[in-house]
Amino acid sequence: RAPWSRESAFFDRSTPQLYGHGEAGGIIPRAGKFQRNAADQSGGALGVEKRGLRGEGQQATLELGGHTGGDLLRGAFQLETATVQQVVEWWLLQLGSPDRAHHGLGKKGVLALMSDSTNAERTGFTQSERTVGLTFDHIFAEHQHTRIIIATFASNVDRVQQIINSACKYNRKVVVEGRSMVSIIQVAQELGYLSVPANTLIEIDQLKNYPPEKTVLITTGSQGESMAALSRMAADVHKKVTIMPGDTVIFSSNPIPGNEKSVSRVINELSAKGADVIFSDAHVSGHACQEELKLIYSLVKPKFAIPVHGEYRHLKANAGIATTLGIPKENVFILHSGDVLELCSKEAKIVDKVHTGEILVDGLGVGDVGNIVLRDRQHLAEDGILIVVLTLEKGSNQLLAGPDIVSRGFVYVRESEGLMEEARSVVTEAVEDCLLHQRNADWSKIKMVIRDTMNEFIWKRTKRKPMVLPIIMDV
C-alpha cells in the first residue's frame, strides 16, 4: 500500500505478479491492461502469465518481474520512494558465488524484503537440483524395458529439462500431457529456457506408434488433483493413455500439506493396476533453507523484513533469522491474511485489515453463497428434509387442516407409511396441546414446537436429523 511511480504498475490497473506458478493462482482472473513494471524482468513468468491470460480470452500487455524454472527470482519493484523486493520459491543455484543482482540492490538500498519462509526451519542449504537428474538417469537405466510416466509441477522447467535429457540419453520419445504442462513447455521453448532436440517430442496420438519401452510421458497430477492427467489415468478415465502392468510411474514432487490423502489415493490406484510407483529420491525442495535466507538478508540489507509464503511457524522462523542478522525486531512484520501493511521510507505499520478467504461462485452469482447456505445444503444432502404443513383459523388459531408431512430425501413415503403416520399423530398432538394452553401463541412459537417435537421423534426412531420446515397458513 504505497504510491506507485509513473514508470511502475498502477494499483487500479495492474497487479505485481512475481510468481511464475500458473497452476498456483496468479493474475489470470484479473482483466485489463497491465503497465510496464520498473523491475528486474524475468522472462519465464512473463511468458507463463501472458499465455494464461490468452487462455482466458483476455487481451493484456504484461511485463512484470517473476520466475519460472531457471530464473532465480528477483522480483524488485520500484515505488516512488524506495525499492521493495519479493523472493518466492528460490534457492541458490551455485554456492560460493554471491548473486550480483541482489548485491547490487543491497548497495542501492532496499526498503523491504519479502522472502519465502517454507524451509526456514531447515538448517543448511537446499539440495541441488542436479541430484534429481542423476536419480532420473539411474531410474531410466534400471527400467529400460518399461514405459516411464513422470508427474511433476508444470512450472518446474528445470525438472522437465532433466527428464528430456535422460529420455534422449536412453533414446526415448517424450510425450507431454496436461494442459498446463503443454502450455508452459511451449512458452519455455519459445523463450529459450528449454532445449529439446529435434524429433524428441511427439504428440500423444503418436504414442501407439512406438514400443512402450521407447516412450516417456511427462504429465501433471503430482499432487493428486482429481482432474489432472495422472489422476485420470489412474482412474481409467483418460481417453488416450491406459496404465499397463509394468509401467514405471515416478512422482517427482512431495505432497503439499493437505494433499497427502489425494496423492496416496492415486498411488494406490496405480499400484492396483500393476504399475511400479516411485515416490522417493526423485525430488528436491524448491525453497531456500536457513543458510540461503541468511545470505539473501546479508546481500540485500533490507530496512524491513516481511516473511511470506509458509505457515505461521515458518514465518516465525524466518523472522527469527532476520533479527539474528541485525534487523530490529520492530522492523520485522509477520502478517496475517488480510493485514494491510503501509510502507514509507521512514516507517512501516499495519493500518487496516481487509476481508480474505474463499469467494464462492455459484452459477452466475459470485460471493452470494456463504457458510450458512453451504451448511444448509450439506444438511439437506445428508439427511433430507421434512415439510410440515398445517392450516389455522385466522383470529382463533383453531387447527382446521393438517398437519400434513412431505418428505424429500429422508425416507421413501410409500415404504414408510407407518413412520409417517406416527409422526403426523405426534406432531398433531403437540400442536393441539400448544394451542390449548396458549390460545394466542404466535406462529414462531408454534413452529418451534413442531420442530422440537419432530426432531425428538425422528431421532428416537431413526437416529437421523432431517431438516424440519414448518409451513403455517391461515384462513
Side-chain angles (χ1 to χ4, degrees), residues 17-48:
Q17 170 63 11
L18 307 174
Y19 193 44
H21 279 306
E23 74 274 18
I27 60 173
I28 290 174
R30 291 286 300 274
K33 185 176 180 180
F34 289 79
Q35 303 292 334
R36 181 183 180 88
N37 189 338
D40 181 8
Q41 301 290 323
S42 172
L46 306 187
V48 169

Side-chain angles (χ1 to χ4, degrees), residues 403-446:
D404 295 318
I405 300 176
V406 179
S407 171
R408 290 291 183 271
F410 172 57
V411 292
Y412 185 45
V413 176
R414 291 185 180 180
E415 296 180 356
S416 305
E417 291 180 354
L419 176 65
M420 301 304 288
E421 187 59 37
E422 192 175 349
R424 185 176 183 278
S425 300
V426 169
V427 76
T428 300
E429 183 179 343
V431 171
E432 288 177 344
D433 184 66
C434 176
L435 295 176
L436 178 64
H437 293 91
Q438 299 182 44
R439 176 60 60 181
N440 295 320
D442 58 20
W443 284 11
S444 61
K445 170 67 175 176
I446 299 171

Side-chain angles (χ1 to χ4, degrees), residues 147-419:
R147 181 173 61 177
I148 295 177
I149 301 172
I150 304 177
T152 189
F153 291 109
S155 49
N156 196 337
V157 178
D158 285 333
R159 189 72 51 83
V160 172
Q161 180 68 72
Q162 293 189 91
I163 296 170
I164 291 173
N165 292 344
S166 295
C168 291
K169 182 177 179 180
Y170 289 91
N171 195 28
R172 288 177 180 256
K173 298 296 183 181
V174 178
V175 174
V176 179
E177 177 60 0
R179 187 172 59 120
S180 57
M181 183 73 75
V182 171
S183 178
I184 288 179
I185 287 179
Q186 288 176 351
V187 171
Q189 285 184 277
E190 291 170 5
L191 297 175
Y193 284 88
L194 192 64
S195 175
V196 183
N199 301 319
T200 298
L201 289 179
I202 62 173
E203 295 295 328
I204 194 168
D205 292 328
Q206 297 177 278
L207 196 60
K208 60 182 180 293
N209 299 331
Y210 295 88
E213 65 273 13
K214 290 298 181 181
T215 59
V216 177
L217 275 77
I218 307 175
T219 180
T220 55
S222 62
Q223 295 302 309
E225 304 96 320
S226 60
M227 296 306 294
L230 184 63
S231 296
R232 289 185 282 121
M233 294 176 198
D236 259 345
V237 295
H238 196 283
K239 294 181 179 179
K240 298 180 180 180
V241 180
T242 302
I243 299 297
M244 299 181 294
D247 282 348
T248 300
V249 182
I250 304 169
F251 280 78
S252 186
S253 65
N254 288 332
I256 295 171
N259 290 349
E260 294 89 350
K261 286 186 178 180
S262 299
V263 173
S264 180
R265 172 182 53 79
V266 174
I267 290 174
N268 286 331
E269 290 175 345
L270 291 168
S271 299
K273 289 175 172 56
D276 180 16
V277 183
I278 300 173
F279 48 87
S280 59
D281 301 327
H283 178 68
V284 296
S285 177
H287 305 270
C289 289
Q290 289 181 1
E291 295 305 315
E292 289 150 321
L293 287 170
K294 291 176 183 177
L295 185 54
I296 198 76
Y297 281 119
S298 300
L299 290 172
V300 175
K301 299 181 178 66
K303 182 174 182 178
F304 301 105
I306 309 168
V308 296
H309 200 278
E311 297 179 4
Y312 189 85
R313 72 176 194 272
H314 304 134
L315 304 182
K316 188 174 180 180
N318 194 346
I321 293 171
T323 54
T324 60
L325 292 173
I327 299 177
K329 191 173 182 179
E330 60 272 17
N331 285 5
V332 180
F333 293 88
I334 299 179
L335 303 178
H336 297 276
S337 295
D339 285 347
V340 177
L341 182 69
E342 190 171 81
L343 288 165
C344 68
S345 58
K346 295 182 179 179
E347 65 175 358
K349 57 185 177 180
I350 298 173
V351 296
D352 197 3
K353 192 172 184 71
V354 297
H355 174 73
T356 59
E358 295 177 335
I359 298 177
L360 302 174
V361 178
D362 185 18
L364 296 178
V366 178
D368 59 340
V369 174
N371 291 333
I372 295 176
V373 174
L374 287 182
R375 183 192 64 194
D376 288 344
R377 290 183 181 181
Q378 186 175 7
H379 190 179
L380 289 168
E382 291 176 353
D383 294 309
I385 185 172
L386 285 175
I387 304 171
V388 182
V389 185
L390 55 88
T391 303
L392 300 179
E393 184 180 24
K394 193 171 184 178
S396 66
N397 266 3
Q398 182 179 352
L399 184 62
L400 298 180
D404 295 318
I405 300 176
V406 179
S407 171
R408 290 291 183 271
F410 172 57
V411 292
Y412 185 45
V413 176
R414 291 185 180 180
E415 296 180 356
S416 305
E417 291 180 354
L419 176 65

Side-chain angles (χ1 to χ4, degrees), residues 14-212:
S14 68
T15 301
Q17 170 63 11
L18 307 174
Y19 193 44
H21 279 306
E23 74 274 18
I27 60 173
I28 290 174
R30 291 286 300 274
K33 185 176 180 180
F34 289 79
Q35 303 292 334
R36 181 183 180 88
N37 189 338
D40 181 8
Q41 301 290 323
S42 172
L46 306 187
V48 169
E49 300 301 350
K50 281 182 180 179
R51 184 172 290 273
L53 285 167
R54 291 192 204 116
E56 294 295 317
Q58 299 175 11
Q59 293 184 352
T61 56
L62 180 63
E63 298 187 33
L64 300 174
H67 110 110
T68 292
D71 291 328
L72 174 60
L73 178 137
R74 305 181 188 102
F77 50 96
Q78 183 71 43
L79 307 180
E80 285 184 353
T81 56
T83 299
V84 176
Q85 185 174 16
Q86 175 176 338
V87 282
V88 179
E89 285 215 18
W90 66 280
W91 67 102
L92 291 181
L93 301 180
Q94 185 176 0
L95 302 181
S97 56
D99 189 289
R100 294 179 181 178
H102 287 113
H103 188 56
L105 285 171
K107 285 185 175 180
K108 294 177 183 177
V110 172
L111 178 64
L113 173 65
M114 298 179 285
S115 182
D116 180 6
S117 307
T118 307
N119 280 353
E121 295 178 324
R122 297 186 181 181
T123 58
F125 291 88
T126 299
Q127 197 173 5
S128 171
E129 179 74 19
R130 293 187 182 94
T131 61
V132 180
L134 296 175
T135 301
F136 284 148
D137 276 349
H138 291 316
I139 294 173
F140 275 66
E142 292 175 3
H143 298 83
Q144 295 189 42
H145 304 294
T146 65
R147 181 173 61 177
I148 295 177
I149 301 172
I150 304 177
T152 189
F153 291 109
S155 49
N156 196 337
V157 178
D158 285 333
R159 189 72 51 83
V160 172
Q161 180 68 72
Q162 293 189 91
I163 296 170
I164 291 173
N165 292 344
S166 295
C168 291
K169 182 177 179 180
Y170 289 91
N171 195 28
R172 288 177 180 256
K173 298 296 183 181
V174 178
V175 174
V176 179
E177 177 60 0
R179 187 172 59 120
S180 57
M181 183 73 75
V182 171
S183 178
I184 288 179
I185 287 179
Q186 288 176 351
V187 171
Q189 285 184 277
E190 291 170 5
L191 297 175
Y193 284 88
L194 192 64
S195 175
V196 183
N199 301 319
T200 298
L201 289 179
I202 62 173
E203 295 295 328
I204 194 168
D205 292 328
Q206 297 177 278
L207 196 60
K208 60 182 180 293
N209 299 331
Y210 295 88

